[in-house]
């Protein structure tokens, strides 16, 4: 086993750059965790000829464009996307993980999300043979990762290891795999927040944005949020008072940052549309513009 570099370990390593892995990575990176996705470019999604049942694409979407979109999203969220294959994951001396790569140097990580549907053998040094089960098909015995090894939110008996895929029949559809990855990402964030001292009642993290107009006068008052935090925090919270204040104020800042005024909503909408155009063939954009222009000319005439 090669020696990991001396730099601080990554917060999260995701093994697999398909829908499940990318979805988990987006949640982790948007929260501010240092996140790297290793993708060998052989996602089972690429065996799909054309994607027609993913919500939000009424006429379907070609797999190449969809793959580019989810990878673009990963990098926009702040994660690093590395085109390399993970050969093994093992425990590090500090309790984290050592992730061995096929081409690059090994990296260290505090948490690992497994998200490769077709192959989980790289986990064997970490989880042992008991995480794999045998089945017989056409008279031949095959071994595969046990889909029940992880719980419904992806947590496993190995502290810090999460499984977004393979998950048996749960992730045979792309839209389900993406949802599974999001659920695992949220579970990971909740565990991180518990570890950092957040009370159980506010450990869950909701990654969403609301309109500023929905924020009533009562909840524009910072003291009201402090009262809510105090109401929800248990009396026997086992951390220093200064740390409680730090966590509380950070959480209040996050709540306020989630509200967007109309100008910001408009700016983000325009930026989002522009970003989508980057993934559409230029000739099709020009053809659509010419068609609209011709229709307007006919209406004027």
């Amino acid at each position: 086993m090669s020696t990991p570099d001396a730099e601080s370990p990554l917060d999260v390593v995701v093994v697999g750059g398909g829908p499940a892995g990318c979805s988990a990575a987006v949640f982790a990176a948007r929260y501010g965790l240092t996140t790297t996705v290793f993708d060998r470019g052989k996602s089972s999604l690429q065996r799909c000829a054309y994607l027609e049942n993913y919500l939000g694409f009424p006429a379907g979407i070609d797999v190449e464009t969809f793959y580019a979109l989810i990878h673009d999203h990963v990098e926009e969220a702040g994660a690093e996307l590395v085109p390399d294959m993970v050969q093994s994951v093992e425990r590090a001396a500090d309790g984290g993980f050592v992730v061995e790569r096929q081409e690059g140097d090994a990296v260290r990580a505090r948490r690992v999300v497994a998200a490769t549907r077709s192959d989980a053998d790289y986990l064997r040094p970490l989880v042992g043979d008991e995480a794999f089960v045998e089945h017989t098909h056409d008279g031949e015995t095959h071994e595969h990762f046990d889909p029940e090894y992880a719980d419904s939110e992806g947590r496993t008996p190995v502290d810090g290891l999460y499984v977004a895929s393979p998950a048996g029949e749960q992730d045979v559809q792309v839209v389900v795999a993406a949802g599974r990855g999001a659920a695992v990402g949220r579970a990971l964030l909740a565990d991180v927040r518990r570890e950092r001292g957040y009370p159980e009642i506010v450990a869950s993290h909701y990654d969403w944005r609301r309109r500023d107009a929905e924020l009533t006068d009562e909840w524009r008052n910072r003291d009201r949020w402090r009262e809510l935090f105090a109401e929800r925090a248990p009396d026997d919270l086992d951390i220093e008072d200064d740390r409680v204040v730090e966590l509380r104020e950070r959480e209040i800042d996050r709540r306020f940052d989630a509200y967007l005024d109309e100008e910001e909503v408009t700016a983000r909408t325009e930026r989002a549309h522009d970003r989508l155009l980057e993934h559409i063939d230029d000739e099709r954009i020009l053809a659509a513009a010419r068609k609209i222009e011709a229709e307007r000319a006919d209406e004027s005439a």
Side-chain angles (χ1 to χ4, degrees):
M1 183 175 69
S2 59
T3 303
D5 56 50
E7 297 180 1
S8 298
L10 295 162
D11 290 320
V12 181
V13 159
V14 179
V15 185
C22 287
S23 186
V26 165
F27 273 78
R30 281 175 55 81
Y31 189 73
L33 302 181
T34 54
T35 305
T36 292
V37 178
F38 289 107
D39 177 55
R40 63 177 178 173
K42 295 183 179 179
S43 168
S44 57
L45 169 62
Q46 294 186 345
R47 296 199 299 271
C48 175
Y50 191 77
L51 185 58
E52 294 186 321
N53 60 2
Y54 198 96
L55 190 64
F57 297 100
I61 185 169
D62 62 287
V63 171
E64 182 181 31
T65 299
F66 182 80
Y67 211 65
L69 282 166
I70 63 176
H71 281 188
D72 193 2
H73 199 168
V74 164
E75 294 183 315
E76 176 67 18
E80 181 183 15
L81 187 64
V82 178
D84 199 355
M85 181 177 179
V86 169
Q87 292 186 311
S88 67
V89 178
E90 301 180 36
R91 269 296 184 199
D94 61 2
F97 301 95
V98 176
V99 180
E100 289 285 349
R101 301 160 56 184
Q102 186 175 62
E103 298 178 2
D105 294 334
V107 298
R108 293 185 297 148
R110 294 185 177 90
R111 290 174 172 80
V112 170
V113 177
T116 53
R117 175 167 172 75
S118 59
D119 180 20
D121 214 48
Y122 61 92
L123 292 176
R124 197 180 293 271
L126 182 65
V127 301
D129 294 337
E130 61 270 19
F132 293 80
V133 295
E134 292 183 348
H135 74 283
T136 302
H137 180 69
D138 291 339
E140 295 185 0
T141 300
H142 303 271
E143 190 178 48
H144 60 84
F145 190 79
D146 184 356
E148 297 183 0
Y149 184 75
D151 68 16
S152 61
E153 293 185 307
R155 296 184 180 90
T156 73
V158 179
D159 187 35
L161 173 67
Y162 302 80
V163 175
S165 184
E169 292 300 310
Q170 296 180 48
D171 61 351
V172 295
Q173 296 286 297
V174 175
V175 68
V176 178
R180 166 79 175 175
V184 172
R186 290 196 63 227
L188 184 151
L189 292 181
D191 291 345
V192 168
R193 286 164 64 84
R194 291 186 186 98
E195 185 178 282
R196 292 179 176 179
Y198 283 94
E200 184 65 30
I201 195 68
V202 293
S204 295
H205 173 69
Y206 296 90
D207 187 358
W208 68 333
R209 296 290 183 263
R210 304 181 76 172
R211 293 184 181 275
D212 183 70
E214 296 180 12
L215 192 59
T216 63
D217 289 340
E218 176 187 5
W219 293 104
R220 290 182 188 278
N221 187 331
R222 198 174 185 90
D223 285 338
R224 182 65 185 91
W225 290 100
R226 291 172 178 144
E227 291 172 7
L228 179 64
F229 192 92
E231 292 168 4
R232 293 182 171 182
D235 295 333
D236 58 348
L237 194 59
D238 189 24
I239 54 177
E240 297 294 327
D241 290 345
D242 288 347
R243 179 61 173 163
V244 172
V245 171
E246 179 187 350
L247 292 174
R248 182 193 68 202
E249 297 304 306
R250 185 185 300 171
E251 181 67 5
I252 294 172
D253 287 340
R254 186 187 67 79
R255 298 285 181 124
F256 280 132
D257 288 344
Y259 288 88
L260 307 177
D261 60 28
E262 289 303 317
E263 183 178 352
E264 180 62 21
V265 171
T266 299
R268 294 192 183 204
T269 300
E270 292 176 353
R271 180 172 177 272
H273 290 180
D274 289 342
R275 194 60 169 269
L276 289 174
L277 289 174
E278 295 177 10
H279 293 273
I280 300 175
D281 181 75
D282 291 343
E283 288 302 318
R284 299 203 64 81
I285 296 174
L286 291 172
R290 294 188 190 104
K291 181 179 179 181
I292 293 172
E293 185 177 1
E295 290 173 348
R296 287 175 177 172
D298 289 342
E299 291 175 359
S300 297

